[in-house]
Amino acid sequence: MAGSITLPLRAGSWHGPFDAGTQTAARAALEAGRILLFPTLPFALSPAEHTILATPGLATPGRAPLSTGGARKNLSYDPATGALGPSPLAGADREAMARLLARFGAEAEALLRALLPTYAPALVRARASFRPAEIAGRAYRPRQDDRRLHVDAFPSRPTGGARILRLFCNIADDGAPRHWRVGEPFADFATAFLPRLRGPLPGHSWLLARLRLTHGTRSPYDWLMLGLHDTAKLDTAWQSTARATELSFPPATTWCCFTDMVLHAALSGHAALEQTFHLPVAAMAEPERAPLRVLERLTGRTLETRSAAGRRKKVVLS
Ligand code: SIN
Ligand code: FE
């Protein structure tokens, strides 16, 4: 079963090259909700970088304070501004960390451009993160608990329908794998959960955008995706009975999937790098497979709004 969820690929380097057959197979697998797996694609780190990554306190150890919702579990980097999020790092170490995440993002982008050339003109590199905290054994609020199966949808970052494509690399130097669970196909999940969602109050999206609580305005699509994300995470009974396959990503493994479509949960592991990309639905080979189009078919409604589509570039980069 795990074999059909993942598509193992060989990459000699982060720059490819990949033959046409591999490129087509990779795109079809991603769009069908599978995970591209590079079993031996390590991200090279210098000894100085290893030392910075091991800085004590980079991750909140043990139980994260519930008040933060586990918010300090990652260090994030915005390639549009070059800014690194809050961390205990200062001075040269802080700059080195930002450079490391920028380099990882550039390598991740080179890989995807070589592997998915038809996406290349439309692919937008968004935030990168370093995830130092051990996932297992922490306390999270249910909505922030990525150990529960979910599709990605972020309250402050509406996409308006654009896809969320994420690439991960396990850089643990103690042999610790990263464990995921992967659930049922998106259409089955959405069919079961959509009837349980309640719509937003009129004017709510506009108000959130005016108050700058969201980067851009939430479209009907964004509301539905957030509803699916929250309803799934809050349904403890479903979480324990849902059909799911466990995957183990050892160190030096790199993997990539559309996390707005693949039902996923990260159960354990520490020290991963992650790079997020956005892709307009129109750039897909089979746009009808996008969650936007699946949800439109299931609801019988148009779920894109002009404001969300028009602001897409700003939404992605800000
Ligand atoms: C997630 O996107 O839910 C977390 C994935 C991970 O950190 O492995
Ligand atoms: Fe997620």
Side-chain angles (χ1 to χ4, degrees), residues 12 118 128 142 199 222 267 309:
T118 62
D222 294 302
L267 304 182

Side-chain angles (χ1 to χ4, degrees), residues 97-118:
M97 186 73 208
R99 276 200 305 277
L100 187 162
L101 285 172
R103 192 174 90 240
F104 177 69
E107 295 279 69
E109 184 168 344
L111 181 77
L112 295 191
R113 286 182 180 274
L115 183 61
L116 306 158
T118 62

Side-chain angles (χ1 to χ4, degrees), residues 74 131 135 145-148 150 152 154 166 168 178-180 233 255 259 264-268 272 274:
N74 301 334
R131 303 170 171 232
I135 297 166
D145 189 350
D146 289 340
R147 294 170 305 184
R148 296 174 183 229
H150 64 283
D152 282 349
F154 303 106
R166 293 185 126 177
F168 298 84
R178 203 163 187 87
H179 279 126
W180 275 27
K233 278 191 175 171
W255 65 104
T259 54
H264 61 285
L267 304 182
S268 67
E274 172 271 335

Side-chain angles (χ1 to χ4, degrees), residues 109-254:
E109 184 168 344
L111 181 77
L112 295 191
R113 286 182 180 274
L115 183 61
L116 306 158
T118 62
Y119 287 179
L123 194 68
V124 177
R125 196 196 317 174
R127 286 175 171 271
S129 62
F130 172 49
R131 303 170 171 232
E134 173 53 54
I135 297 166
R138 288 165 58 109
Y140 301 91
R141 290 196 175 123
R143 274 195 184 80
Q144 272 96 35
D145 189 350
D146 289 340
R147 294 170 305 184
R148 296 174 183 229
L149 285 169
H150 64 283
V151 286
D152 282 349
F154 303 106
S156 61
R157 297 184 183 278
T159 75
R163 306 300 312 273
I164 302 173
L165 183 61
R166 293 185 126 177
L167 184 136
F168 298 84
C169 182
N170 183 349
I171 56 164
D173 55 12
D174 62 353
R178 203 163 187 87
H179 279 126
W180 275 27
R181 289 174 80 207
V182 175
E184 64 190 320
F186 179 80
D188 296 351
F189 161 68
T191 303
F193 277 81
L194 269 181
R196 298 168 52 179
L197 306 191
R198 280 179 304 149
L201 297 172
H204 198 155
S205 308
W206 177 85
L207 189 65
L208 288 174
R210 278 297 292 231
L211 296 175
R212 296 188 174 275
L213 294 174
T214 53
H215 298 265
T217 310
R218 277 187 203 163
S219 66
Y221 168 79
D222 294 302
W223 282 107
L224 287 183
M225 290 297 284
L226 280 172
L228 290 173
H229 171 276
D230 290 358
T231 310
K233 278 191 175 171
L234 295 172
D235 188 338
T236 306
W238 177 76
Q239 288 289 336
S240 57
T241 55
R243 268 192 291 143
T245 302
E246 291 209 11
L247 296 177
S248 174
F249 304 107
T253 302
T254 295

